[in-house]
Structure formats: C-alpha cells, structure tokens
C-alpha cells in the first residue's frame, strides 16, 4: 500500500456514513479562512489531499461557549481526551459504557470531522481502579483482546485511526528495554504490544493502527534513550510482522528545553524507512518556565509550535498533526497534579492557539497555519 493510502481508504469509508441527527451542529463557526460552516474546508487544514489537522477535545469542552465553533471551523479531525479510554468505557470488568464516546463521534460527524481514537491500551495509572483487583497473568490477554475487539467493533466505520498502544516507552522506566511498567506488562509481559495490534487488526482492519510514542522530541539524555528504545521496539515489531501501521509522535513539548534537531530528524527518517506512517498526535507546548509578559510568552510558545512543525518538512509519510491543547482555558497542564507543572508566578499556562476567552492568538495561528501548508 502506498503512502497515505490507508488513511485515504479509511476516509472514503468514513465519508459514506449517514450522519446522525441527534446532536447539535455548530451553527455559526468562527472562522477567518476557509469555506462555509461544516463544509469540507477547514481553516487550519492545508489544501492538499488527505492531510489531517486535528484537535483534542472532550464532551465538556465541546459544550462550552465558543469552543465547538472553533474546533469545527478549523479542524478536520477530532480526538477525545478521555472519552475512549478504559476509565470511561469500562466502569466495571463486565460492563461497557459508550455514551460519551458516541457523543464525541456524533459531534464529529455533525461537523465534518473524522475521529482519531485514543486509546486502546495504556500502562498508565490512569486506568480503572478495578485493574488492581481483577487483572492478572491468567486473564490479562483475554481482557485486552476482548476490550479491543468490542470497542473497535462498536466504533466500526466511525473512527479513522486508533492509538492501539499508548506510550510503550517512557524515560523513567527502569527496564532495560525502556517499556512503560504497569498493569499490561505485569499481566502479559512485553508481548502485550503485539497482542494489542493483532487484536486490533482482527477486530476491524480498516482504521490506521498506531503505536503512540512519548518524549522523543527533545535534546536530553532521557529522550536520547527514549528515541533509541522506541526505534528498537518499532523495528522489532515490523520485523516480527506485528500489524502496526504508524508511529504517533505525541509532541508534548517544553518551550524551554531544546529540540533534538538532527537527532530527531534522523529518528523520523528511520521510522519512515521501516515503511510506517508518521503522525503528530498530541502537540502542545508547556510554558511552565517561560518568563515575561503574556505577549512575550505567546511569542515564545508560538515560535516553539512553528519551529517544531517545520522539522517535518519533507517527511512524506506524515499525514496528520493533532493539537492536544488548542485553548488556554482547557489546558491539562493547569489541572495536572504534578507540582513540576505549576508556574512559579501562579499564573495559568498559555499553551493554546486560542486564549482563555477563545480569542485567537493571531500571530501564533498564522505561523502555525503557514507551516502546516508546507507539510503536505
Ligand atoms: O472527570 C473527572 C471528574 O468527574 C472528577 O471530579 C475529577 C477529579 O479529579 O477528575 C475528572 O477526570 C479527570 C480527567 O482528566 C478529565 O478532566 C482525571 O482525574 C484526570 O486524570 C484526567 O487526566 C487526563 C490524563 O490524560 C489521564 O487520563 C487528561 O485530561 C488528558 O489530557 C491526559 O492526556 C494524556 C494522553 O491521554 C496521553 N498522553 C499524555 C496526555 C497528557 O497527559
């Protein structure tokens, strides 16, 4: 299959769906560029075939003033922050709750956006509490396979791509392979990754299957190791014919930590050489250490977005850039419990392209829009 063909097929499939009429359509999109409300033209999306520019949002954000209009006007892809995680979908070991996930899918369909599913499997502590008492070595594989099967079949034809395995490698792992320790490693071992991809391919072969990777963008010893461990894993999966199709680069960046530059571009090239597609899946900029006035901070954050994205010029296998935090108002950094994410001056972060009142930061917006034009 040539580049972008998998997403193209999935798009063609998704666009043939009848749109549900149960949710409010965004009636008056606030756009500066692009075509009519809900039309195929989205203001931030470059005018080229099958390139996706997405945003992360949950049901909460999408029912607040102005946010849904901005999302619908600018993006052709939507990913739910939490609504498709195990925490939401699996209140108990034996039950599924698709209410909020369906709400997200309906919002997207009503507003001509595709859905990127996040995520089918993550070793994080952000899993249902019942994992601790229920998951074990004898049932782990079955739970993982059943979940992936049921969830992918439920959303069949409605989700264009899935983060099948989220954050396989983390910098703070004490394992020699760098894998994220957690419930799936405990219950299944490192093969949880191949188990998940095989289950996904079996459940619904259409959506793009992504390994969503974390902390590989900066020039730090931790991230040097992260890139090496991630590449080793990707190559091993490809060699073992595990049905992985793409690598997601999360891209939660820090405005005051240098980018890895050539080391990052080499990392991308090596992924491309394996034949896999590349997506930027969770882009935002942490400005915890950035000093200065709000205007100064916006300039630094805007430049960080631009400079990071510019590195993807010429990466032909890139077909999506998804922004995780489009507005200062709904910023996970502001609500995260980690004290390292609190600003010394007590002010809120300014990571968004839109501010607290959903007003566009024009310079940031324009520079992101122009760099996106160069990526396809
Ligand atoms: O909805 C409940 C609310 O009912 C409750 O009162 C409140 C009390 O803490 O919690 C609310 O849930 C929180 C949820 O976000 C919605 O706001 C969870 O505690 C909180 O853990 C959860 O955080 C999410 C985090 O992943 C963990 O799942 C963030 O929103 C989300 O942005 C973040 O996203 C991750 C990606 O999935 C993977 N990559 C990194 C990225 C950023 O950390």
């Amino acid at each position: 299959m040539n580049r972008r063909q998998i997403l193209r097929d999935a798009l063609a499939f998704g666009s043939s769906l009848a749109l549900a009429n149960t949710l409010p359509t965004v009636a008056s999109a606030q756009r500066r560029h692009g075509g009519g409300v809900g039309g195929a033209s989205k203001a931030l999306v470059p005018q080229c075939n099958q390139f996706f520019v997405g945003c992360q949002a949950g049901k909460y954000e999408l029912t607040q003033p102005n946010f849904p209009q901005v999302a619908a006007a600018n993006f052709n892809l939507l990913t739910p922050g939490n609504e498709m995680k195990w925490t939401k979908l699996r209140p108990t070991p034996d039950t599924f709750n698709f209410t909020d996930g369906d709400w997200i899918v309906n919002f997207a369909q009503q507003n001509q956006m595709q859905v990127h599913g996040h995520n089918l499997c993550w070793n994080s502590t952000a899993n249902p509490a019942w994992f601790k008492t229920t998951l074990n070595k004898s049932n782990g594989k079955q739970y993982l396979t059943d979940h992936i099967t049921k969830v992918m079949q439920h959303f069949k034809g409605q989700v264009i791509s899935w983060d099948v395995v989220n954050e396989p490698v983390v910098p703070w792992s004490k394992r020699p392979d760098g894998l994220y320790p957690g419930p799936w490693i405990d219950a299944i071992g490192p093969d949880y990754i191949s188990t998940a991809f095989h289950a996904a391919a079996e459940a619904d072969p259409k959506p793009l299957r992504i390994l969503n990777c974390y902390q590989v963008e900066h020039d730090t010893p931790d991230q040097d190791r992260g890139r090496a461990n991630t590449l080793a894993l990707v190559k091993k999966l490809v060699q073992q014919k595990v049905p992985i199709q793409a690598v997601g680069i999360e891209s939660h960046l820090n405005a005051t930590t240098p980018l890895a530059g050539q080391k990052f571009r080499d990392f991308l090239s090596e992924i491309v050489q394996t034949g896999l597609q590349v997506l930027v899946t969770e882009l935002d900029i942490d400005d915890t250490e950035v000093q200065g006035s709000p205007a100064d901070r916006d300039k630094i954050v805007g430049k960080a977005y631009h400079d990071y994205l510019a590195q993807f010029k010429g990466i032909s296998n890139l077909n999506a850039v998804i922004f995780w935090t489009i507005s200062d108002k709904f910023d996970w950094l502001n609500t995260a419990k980690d004290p390292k994410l609190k600003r010394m001056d007590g002010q809120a972060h300014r990571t968004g392209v839109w501010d607290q009142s959903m007003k566009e930061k024009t310079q940031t917006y324009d520079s992101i829009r122009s760099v996106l034009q160069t990526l396809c």
Side-chain angles (χ1 to χ4, degrees):
M1 230 175 232
N2 65 20
R3 75 183 180 92
R4 298 196 182 144
Q5 195 164 345
I6 300 162
L7 265 180
R8 192 177 303 133
D9 288 354
L11 178 75
F13 184 67
S15 64
S16 69
L17 291 170
L19 298 182
N21 284 319
T22 48
L23 281 173
T25 305
V26 172
S28 56
Q30 296 172 336
R31 70 173 66 224
R32 295 174 62 233
H33 318 272
V37 174
S41 174
K42 304 286 190 170
L44 264 187
V45 181
Q47 298 295 311
C48 53
N49 276 343
Q50 308 310 333
F51 193 86
F52 292 86
V53 181
C55 68
Q56 175 271 136
K59 186 175 172 183
Y60 177 72
E61 292 88 338
L62 291 168
T63 48
Q64 300 302 304
N66 299 328
F67 190 103
Q69 287 84 351
V70 165
N74 285 284
F75 300 95
N76 60 355
L77 189 69
L78 177 65
T79 191
N82 294 300
E83 284 77 356
M84 291 184 183
K85 289 176 176 168
W86 280 73
T87 31
K88 271 280 175 188
L89 298 182
R90 299 298 295 275
T92 72
D94 305 320
T95 54
F96 286 79
N97 182 348
F98 290 111
T99 312
D100 289 349
D102 288 343
W103 192 98
I104 295 288
V105 166
N106 283 334
F107 178 91
Q109 290 178 350
Q110 291 285 327
N111 292 287
Q112 284 69 49
M113 303 165 92
Q114 297 290 331
V115 176
H116 165 71
H118 175 77
N119 60 62
L120 292 169
C121 168
W122 189 15
N123 265 303
S124 156
T125 49
N127 272 310
W130 60 259
F131 269 30
K132 290 197 183 73
T133 52
T134 310
L135 273 192
N136 59 46
K137 286 188 182 357
S138 60
N139 65 18
K141 210 166 177 173
Q142 196 65 46
Y143 267 109
L144 184 58
T145 306
D146 287 351
H147 179 85
I148 290 175
T149 306
K150 183 94 185 258
V151 171
M152 286 188 73
Q153 286 180 351
H154 177 86
F155 291 114
K156 202 167 193 156
Q158 301 179 311
V159 169
I160 193 173
S161 49
W162 276 105
D163 291 327
V164 175
V165 173
N166 201 44
E167 300 175 1
V169 169
V170 286
W172 40 266
S173 172
K174 298 208 165 38
R175 296 173 53 94
D177 54 12
L179 292 185
Y180 198 150
W184 296 114
I185 289 276
D186 292 345
I188 305 174
D191 281 348
Y192 87 92
I193 298 173
S194 55
T195 301
F197 277 99
H198 281 292
E202 186 82 13
D204 180 6
K206 284 243 174 195
L208 189 74
R209 294 181 294 275
I210 302 164
L211 184 76
N212 195 33
C213 299
Y214 176 62
Q215 297 205 0
V216 291
E217 306 85 2
H218 283 298
D219 192 12
T220 65
D222 269 0
Q223 299 207 15
D224 284 344
R225 207 166 47 248
R227 281 185 291 276
N229 284 331
T230 300
L231 264 183
L233 172 64
V234 167
K235 286 179 179 173
K236 187 173 99 188
L237 295 173
V238 170
Q239 195 210 352
Q240 292 175 339
K241 301 207 181 326
V242 172
I244 171 180
Q245 294 171 311
V247 174
I249 314 288
E250 283 196 2
S251 317
H252 289 289
L253 307 177
N254 189 302
T256 44
T257 307
L259 293 172
Q262 192 56 45
K263 290 193 276 187
F264 181 65
R265 288 189 291 274
D266 290 346
F267 169 75
L268 291 179
S269 300
E270 290 213 47
I271 293 171
V272 170
Q273 277 165 31
T274 65
L276 300 181
Q277 294 183 236
V278 175
L279 299 88
V280 171
T281 47
E282 302 189 14
L283 176 58
D284 60 18
I285 314 281
D286 175 354
D287 70 334
T288 304
E289 307 287 340
V290 178
Q291 310 290 322
S293 67
D296 293 340
R297 286 168 56 196
D298 288 350
K299 216 177 255 175
I300 290 167
V301 168
K303 184 172 178 328
Y305 274 116
H306 175 277
D307 292 354
Y308 178 69
L309 286 172
Q311 302 181 105
F312 288 84
K313 279 182 203 168
I315 302 291
S316 57
N317 290 25
L318 177 79
N319 39 26
V321 172
I322 304 172
F323 291 82
W324 198 254
T325 308
I326 65 164
S327 124
D328 295 343
K329 185 155 188 202
F330 307 108
D331 175 3
W332 69 274
L333 295 163
N334 288 331
T335 50
K337 292 179 190 98
D338 185 347
K340 290 203 287 298
L341 295 177
K342 298 270 173 271
R343 286 181 57 87
M344 291 287 278
D345 60 11
Q347 290 183 22
H349 294 87
R350 295 186 67 88
T351 183
V353 182
W354 285 266
D355 71 9
Q356 290 275 345
S357 55
M358 293 307 293
K359 186 165 164 289
E360 175 191 292
K361 299 178 189 174
T362 304
Q363 265 187 325
T364 304
Y365 182 97
D366 286 344
S367 83
I368 287 175
R369 187 167 184 269
S370 69
V371 75
L372 286 171
Q373 299 284 342
T374 68
L375 299 187
C376 64

